[in-house]
Amino acid sequence: MTLLASLLLAPNPSPMTLDGTNTWILRAPGATGCVVVDPGPPDPGHLAAIVAAGPVDVILLTHGHIDHSEGAAPLHELTSAPVRALDVAHRLGDEGLTEGDVIAAAGVEIRVLATPGHSSDSLSFVLTDDRRADTDSTDSHNISAPTAGSSVLTGDTILGRGTTVVAHPDGQLGDYLTSLRRLRELGDCVVLPGHGPHLPAAGRAAEAYLAHREARLDQVRAALAAGDSTVRQIVQRIYTDVDRALWPAAEMSVRAQIEHLHQRRELRTTPIELLLA
Protein backbone atom coordinates (compact mmCIF):
# COMPACT_ATOMS: atom_id res chain seq x y z
CA MET A 1 0.00 0.00 0.00
CA THR A 2 2.78 2.41 1.02
CA LEU A 3 6.43 2.00 1.94
CA LEU A 4 5.53 1.71 5.65
CA ALA A 5 1.93 0.45 5.71
CA SER A 6 0.30 -2.76 4.55
CA LEU A 7 -3.30 -3.84 4.91
CA LEU A 8 -5.04 -6.82 6.47
CA LEU A 9 -8.79 -6.65 5.81
CA ALA A 10 -10.95 -8.03 8.60
CA PRO A 11 -13.79 -10.38 7.61
CA ASN A 12 -16.58 -8.18 8.99
CA PRO A 13 -18.22 -6.51 5.98
CA SER A 14 -21.50 -4.67 6.59
CA PRO A 15 -23.28 -1.48 5.53
CA MET A 16 -21.47 0.30 8.39
CA THR A 17 -18.01 -1.26 7.91
CA LEU A 18 -18.01 -1.33 4.08
CA ASP A 19 -15.68 -4.17 2.98
CA GLY A 20 -14.59 -4.72 6.59
CA THR A 21 -12.26 -3.08 9.08
CA ASN A 22 -8.84 -2.12 7.76
CA THR A 23 -6.13 -3.41 10.08
CA TRP A 24 -2.89 -1.61 9.26
CA ILE A 25 0.54 -3.22 9.73
CA LEU A 26 3.28 -0.61 10.00
CA ARG A 27 7.02 -1.29 9.69
CA ALA A 28 10.03 0.19 8.00
CA PRO A 29 11.82 -1.89 5.37
CA GLY A 30 14.10 -4.34 7.13
CA ALA A 31 12.44 -3.93 10.53
CA THR A 32 11.67 -7.11 12.42
CA GLY A 33 8.72 -6.00 14.52
CA CYS A 34 5.58 -4.15 13.50
CA VAL A 35 2.95 -1.75 14.77
CA VAL A 36 -0.68 -2.88 14.48
CA VAL A 37 -3.36 -0.21 14.11
CA ASP A 38 -6.97 -1.26 14.75
CA PRO A 39 -6.92 -5.06 15.09
CA GLY A 40 -10.63 -5.13 14.35
CA PRO A 41 -12.98 -7.91 15.49
CA PRO A 42 -11.87 -10.90 17.60
CA ASP A 43 -12.01 -13.21 14.59
CA PRO A 44 -9.55 -16.11 15.11
CA GLY A 45 -8.42 -16.21 11.49
CA HIS A 46 -7.87 -12.46 11.34
CA LEU A 47 -5.94 -12.46 14.62
CA ALA A 48 -3.82 -15.36 13.34
CA ALA A 49 -2.97 -13.35 10.21
CA ILE A 50 -1.92 -10.39 12.37
CA VAL A 51 0.27 -12.62 14.54
CA ALA A 52 1.84 -14.12 11.41
CA ALA A 53 2.73 -10.59 10.23
CA GLY A 54 4.50 -9.93 13.55
CA PRO A 55 6.25 -9.92 15.90
CA VAL A 56 3.94 -7.18 17.17
CA ASP A 57 5.68 -4.38 19.09
CA VAL A 58 2.63 -2.27 19.94
CA ILE A 59 -1.10 -2.08 19.16
CA LEU A 60 -2.65 1.34 18.50
CA LEU A 61 -6.36 2.21 18.35
CA THR A 62 -7.79 5.07 16.32
CA HIS A 63 -10.87 4.88 18.57
CA GLY A 64 -12.81 2.48 20.73
CA HIS A 65 -15.72 1.38 18.51
CA ILE A 66 -15.88 -2.40 18.62
CA ASP A 67 -15.27 -3.00 14.92
CA HIS A 68 -11.83 -1.44 15.48
CA SER A 69 -10.99 -2.39 19.06
CA GLU A 70 -12.64 -5.65 20.08
CA GLY A 71 -9.72 -7.74 18.83
CA ALA A 72 -7.17 -5.72 20.82
CA ALA A 73 -7.45 -7.63 24.11
CA PRO A 74 -7.13 -11.11 22.54
CA LEU A 75 -4.26 -9.87 20.35
CA HIS A 76 -2.57 -8.55 23.49
CA GLU A 77 -2.97 -12.00 25.06
CA LEU A 78 -1.47 -13.66 21.99
CA THR A 79 1.50 -11.31 21.59
CA SER A 80 1.98 -9.49 24.93
CA ALA A 81 2.12 -6.27 22.90
CA PRO A 82 0.73 -3.25 24.77
CA VAL A 83 -2.47 -1.60 23.59
CA ARG A 84 -2.35 2.20 23.44
CA ALA A 85 -5.47 4.35 23.01
CA LEU A 86 -6.86 7.70 24.07
CA ASP A 87 -9.64 6.09 26.14
CA VAL A 88 -8.23 4.53 29.32
CA ALA A 89 -10.83 1.75 29.04
CA HIS A 90 -8.99 0.32 26.02
CA ARG A 91 -5.39 0.56 27.26
CA LEU A 92 -3.50 -2.60 28.18
CA GLY A 93 0.03 -2.77 29.53
CA ASP A 94 1.21 0.74 28.63
CA GLU A 95 0.41 4.43 28.72
CA GLY A 96 -2.26 6.03 26.61
CA LEU A 97 -2.15 8.25 23.55
CA THR A 98 -2.83 11.94 23.27
CA GLU A 99 -2.40 14.90 20.93
CA GLY A 100 1.22 15.54 20.01
CA ASP A 101 2.60 12.16 21.06
CA VAL A 102 5.29 10.72 18.81
CA ILE A 103 5.65 6.93 18.76
CA ALA A 104 8.80 5.31 17.47
CA ALA A 105 8.50 1.58 16.84
CA ALA A 106 9.37 -0.91 14.08
CA GLY A 107 11.50 1.78 12.43
CA VAL A 108 8.44 4.01 11.99
CA GLU A 109 7.78 7.46 13.46
CA ILE A 110 4.08 8.04 14.15
CA ARG A 111 2.69 11.45 15.09
CA VAL A 112 -0.62 11.47 16.97
CA LEU A 113 -3.35 13.95 16.01
CA ALA A 114 -6.50 14.35 18.09
CA THR A 115 -9.38 14.28 15.57
CA PRO A 116 -12.57 13.97 17.63
CA GLY A 117 -16.04 14.19 16.14
CA HIS A 118 -16.92 10.76 14.84
CA SER A 119 -16.29 9.79 18.46
CA SER A 120 -14.82 11.76 21.33
CA ASP A 121 -11.73 9.52 21.43
CA SER A 122 -10.91 9.52 17.71
CA LEU A 123 -7.23 9.87 16.79
CA SER A 124 -5.36 10.01 13.50
CA PHE A 125 -1.78 8.83 13.00
CA VAL A 126 0.62 10.59 10.63
CA LEU A 127 3.52 8.59 9.22
CA THR A 128 5.97 11.37 8.60
CA ASP A 129 8.44 9.48 6.40
CA ASP A 130 6.05 7.36 4.36
CA ARG A 131 5.93 7.14 0.58
CA ARG A 132 3.47 5.77 -1.92
CA ALA A 133 4.42 2.36 -3.23
CA ASP A 134 3.40 0.08 -6.08
CA THR A 135 1.65 -2.73 -4.22
CA ASP A 136 2.56 -5.19 -6.96
CA SER A 137 6.30 -4.66 -6.67
CA THR A 138 9.01 -4.07 -4.09
CA ASP A 139 11.25 -2.43 -6.68
CA SER A 140 12.36 0.93 -5.23
CA HIS A 141 11.92 2.50 -8.68
CA ASN A 142 8.15 2.02 -8.24
CA ILE A 143 8.11 4.14 -5.07
CA SER A 144 7.43 7.79 -5.72
CA ALA A 145 9.16 10.66 -3.99
CA PRO A 146 7.88 11.47 -0.51
CA THR A 147 4.84 13.74 -0.40
CA ALA A 148 4.67 16.74 1.89
CA GLY A 149 2.30 15.03 4.33
CA SER A 150 3.42 11.43 3.85
CA SER A 151 0.42 9.29 4.95
CA VAL A 152 -2.26 9.47 7.63
CA LEU A 153 -4.34 6.75 9.24
CA THR A 154 -7.75 8.31 9.86
CA GLY A 155 -9.84 5.54 11.43
CA ASP A 156 -13.48 6.52 10.81
CA THR A 157 -12.84 10.27 10.60
CA ILE A 158 -12.34 9.96 6.83
CA LEU A 159 -13.42 6.76 5.08
CA GLY A 160 -12.19 5.43 1.78
CA ARG A 161 -15.72 5.44 0.35
CA GLY A 162 -18.78 7.46 1.28
CA THR A 163 -19.00 9.53 4.44
CA THR A 164 -18.97 8.73 8.14
CA VAL A 165 -21.41 9.12 11.01
CA VAL A 166 -21.10 11.66 13.80
CA ALA A 167 -21.99 9.27 16.60
CA HIS A 168 -24.03 11.61 18.81
CA PRO A 169 -24.02 12.15 21.75
CA ASP A 170 -20.39 10.98 22.08
CA GLY A 171 -19.54 12.48 18.71
CA GLN A 172 -19.95 16.23 18.24
CA LEU A 173 -20.30 17.94 14.88
CA GLY A 174 -18.38 21.06 15.90
CA ASP A 175 -15.42 18.90 16.93
CA TYR A 176 -15.73 16.93 13.70
CA LEU A 177 -15.61 20.01 11.48
CA THR A 178 -12.52 21.22 13.35
CA SER A 179 -10.87 17.82 12.85
CA LEU A 180 -11.63 17.89 9.12
CA ARG A 181 -10.02 21.32 8.87
CA ARG A 182 -6.91 19.95 10.58
CA LEU A 183 -6.73 17.04 8.15
CA ARG A 184 -7.29 19.40 5.21
CA GLU A 185 -3.99 21.05 6.13
CA LEU A 186 -2.17 17.79 5.33
CA GLY A 187 -2.63 18.45 1.62
CA ASP A 188 -1.38 15.61 -0.56
CA CYS A 189 -0.91 13.25 2.39
CA VAL A 190 -2.23 9.77 1.47
CA VAL A 191 -5.28 8.70 3.50
CA LEU A 192 -5.19 5.19 4.97
CA PRO A 193 -8.75 4.90 6.32
CA GLY A 194 -10.41 2.57 8.79
CA HIS A 195 -12.74 1.27 6.07
CA GLY A 196 -12.60 1.31 2.29
CA PRO A 197 -9.76 2.02 -0.14
CA HIS A 198 -6.94 4.46 0.41
CA LEU A 199 -7.34 8.01 -0.91
CA PRO A 200 -4.62 10.01 -2.68
CA ALA A 201 -4.91 13.32 -0.80
CA ALA A 202 -6.16 14.14 2.69
CA GLY A 203 -6.69 17.78 1.73
CA ARG A 204 -9.13 17.01 -1.08
CA ALA A 205 -10.92 14.31 0.95
CA ALA A 206 -11.37 16.62 3.94
CA GLU A 207 -12.59 19.46 1.72
CA ALA A 208 -15.21 17.17 0.18
CA TYR A 209 -16.31 16.03 3.64
CA LEU A 210 -16.63 19.63 4.82
CA ALA A 211 -18.76 20.51 1.79
CA HIS A 212 -20.94 17.47 2.42
CA ARG A 213 -21.49 18.46 6.06
CA GLU A 214 -22.46 22.02 5.13
CA ALA A 215 -24.92 20.66 2.56
CA ARG A 216 -26.47 18.36 5.18
CA LEU A 217 -26.78 21.28 7.61
CA ASP A 218 -28.63 23.26 4.94
CA GLN A 219 -30.96 20.30 4.43
CA VAL A 220 -31.65 20.04 8.17
CA ARG A 221 -32.40 23.79 8.31
CA ALA A 222 -34.84 23.36 5.41
CA ALA A 223 -36.49 20.34 7.01
CA LEU A 224 -37.02 22.20 10.29
CA ALA A 225 -38.40 25.18 8.38
CA ALA A 226 -40.79 22.84 6.55
CA GLY A 227 -42.21 21.68 9.89
CA ASP A 228 -40.47 18.35 10.50
CA SER A 229 -40.73 17.68 14.23
CA THR A 230 -38.82 14.44 14.78
CA VAL A 231 -35.38 13.14 13.88
CA ARG A 232 -36.95 10.29 11.90
CA GLN A 233 -38.96 12.75 9.78
CA ILE A 234 -35.79 14.69 8.99
CA VAL A 235 -33.94 11.49 8.06
CA GLN A 236 -36.82 10.38 5.83
CA ARG A 237 -36.74 13.74 4.07
CA ILE A 238 -33.01 14.27 3.51
CA TYR A 239 -31.41 10.81 3.53
CA THR A 240 -33.37 9.40 0.60
CA ASP A 241 -30.04 8.69 -1.13
CA VAL A 242 -28.83 6.50 1.74
CA ASP A 243 -29.51 2.79 2.28
CA ARG A 244 -32.28 2.41 4.89
CA ALA A 245 -29.98 0.04 6.80
CA LEU A 246 -27.90 3.14 7.58
CA TRP A 247 -30.79 5.27 8.80
CA PRO A 248 -30.10 4.57 12.51
CA ALA A 249 -26.61 6.00 11.94
CA ALA A 250 -28.14 8.89 10.00
CA GLU A 251 -30.34 9.64 13.01
CA MET A 252 -27.23 10.03 15.17
CA SER A 253 -25.81 12.47 12.64
CA VAL A 254 -29.06 14.44 12.52
CA ARG A 255 -29.07 14.74 16.31
CA ALA A 256 -25.49 16.01 16.10
CA GLN A 257 -26.53 18.52 13.43
CA ILE A 258 -29.47 19.80 15.48
CA GLU A 259 -27.26 20.22 18.54
CA HIS A 260 -24.66 22.02 16.42
CA LEU A 261 -27.28 24.44 15.10
CA HIS A 262 -28.41 25.11 18.66
CA GLN A 263 -24.84 25.76 19.79
CA ARG A 264 -24.48 28.24 16.93
CA ARG A 265 -27.65 29.98 18.19
CA GLU A 266 -29.55 29.17 15.02
CA LEU A 267 -32.23 27.47 17.16
CA ARG A 268 -33.69 29.57 19.94
CA THR A 269 -34.35 26.72 22.35
CA THR A 270 -32.81 23.31 22.85
CA PRO A 271 -35.00 21.00 20.76
CA ILE A 272 -35.17 18.19 23.31
CA GLU A 273 -38.16 16.63 21.61
CA LEU A 274 -36.15 16.36 18.39
CA LEU A 275 -33.02 15.03 20.06
CA LEU A 276 -34.98 12.34 21.93
CA ALA A 277 -37.61 11.47 19.32
Side-chain angles (χ1 to χ4, degrees):
M1 186 67 67
T2 69
L3 180 69
L4 302 179
S6 59
L7 173 63
L8 288 175
L9 180 63
N12 60 336
S14 75
M16 287 293 290
T17 61
L18 303 181
D19 305 314
T21 299
N22 291 339
T23 295
W24 293 101
I25 308 296
L26 311 180
R27 60 158 50 95
T32 302
C34 71
V35 177
V36 175
V37 178
D38 289 352
D43 177 83
H46 185 59
L47 293 176
I50 297 172
V51 171
V56 179
D57 292 342
V58 63
I59 302 160
L60 307 181
L61 298 181
T62 60
H63 64 298
H65 287 168
I66 61 172
D67 55 315
H68 294 257
S69 67
E70 197 173 13
L75 185 61
H76 170 72
E77 293 177 1
L78 289 168
T79 64
S80 298
V83 179
R84 299 186 63 182
L86 177 61
D87 188 343
V88 65
H90 297 288
R91 301 174 190 171
L92 290 169
D94 206 340
E95 60 187 328
L97 294 172
T98 191
E99 165 71 26
D101 282 351
V102 177
I103 303 154
V108 179
E109 183 176 277
I110 304 163
R111 182 163 56 94
V112 179
L113 296 180
T115 50
H118 167 72
S119 65
S120 61
D121 66 335
S122 287
L123 301 171
S124 294
F125 303 127
V126 176
L127 308 184
T128 55
D129 295 317
D130 205 5
R131 293 181 285 178
R132 297 185 182 95
D134 185 336
T135 56
D136 296 324
S137 173
T138 57
D139 185 341
S140 62
H141 294 292
N142 288 318
I143 301 174
S144 69
T147 62
S150 301
S151 65
V152 58
L153 290 85
T154 55
D156 285 355
T157 300
I158 293 179
L159 303 180
R161 186 170 67 247
T163 57
T164 196
V165 62
V166 178
H168 184 272
D170 180 54
Q172 297 287 312
L173 182 56
D175 290 342
Y176 187 58
L177 296 175
T178 298
S179 294
L180 290 176
R181 294 183 189 106
R182 290 197 77 188
L183 292 170
R184 182 174 60 184
E185 294 175 1
L186 297 180
D188 289 337
C189 182
V190 176
V191 175
L192 306 177
H195 304 279
H198 74 283
L199 300 173
R204 290 199 299 273
E207 187 63 39
Y209 267 49
L210 285 163
H212 171 78
R213 288 296 167 188
E214 286 301 325
R216 286 296 194 210
L217 280 171
D218 285 341
Q219 290 176 317
V220 170
R221 291 183 185 100
L224 292 171
D228 287 349
S229 59
T230 68
V231 168
R232 176 50 64 94
Q233 287 175 346
I234 295 172
V235 168
Q236 289 172 338
R237 180 186 294 270
I238 72 175
Y239 283 85
T240 56
D241 58 335
V242 173
D243 188 331
R244 284 176 176 261
L246 296 175
W247 277 14
E251 290 182 9
M252 287 192 286
S253 285
V254 166
R255 288 186 171 88
Q257 290 157 352
I258 291 169
E259 184 171 300
H260 183 66
L261 291 174
H262 173 69
Q263 291 170 346
R264 286 170 50 163
R265 302 181 184 274
E266 293 190 37
L267 299 177
R268 292 185 178 180
T269 59
T270 304
I272 297 297
E273 68 281 3
L274 279 168
L275 292 174
L276 297 181

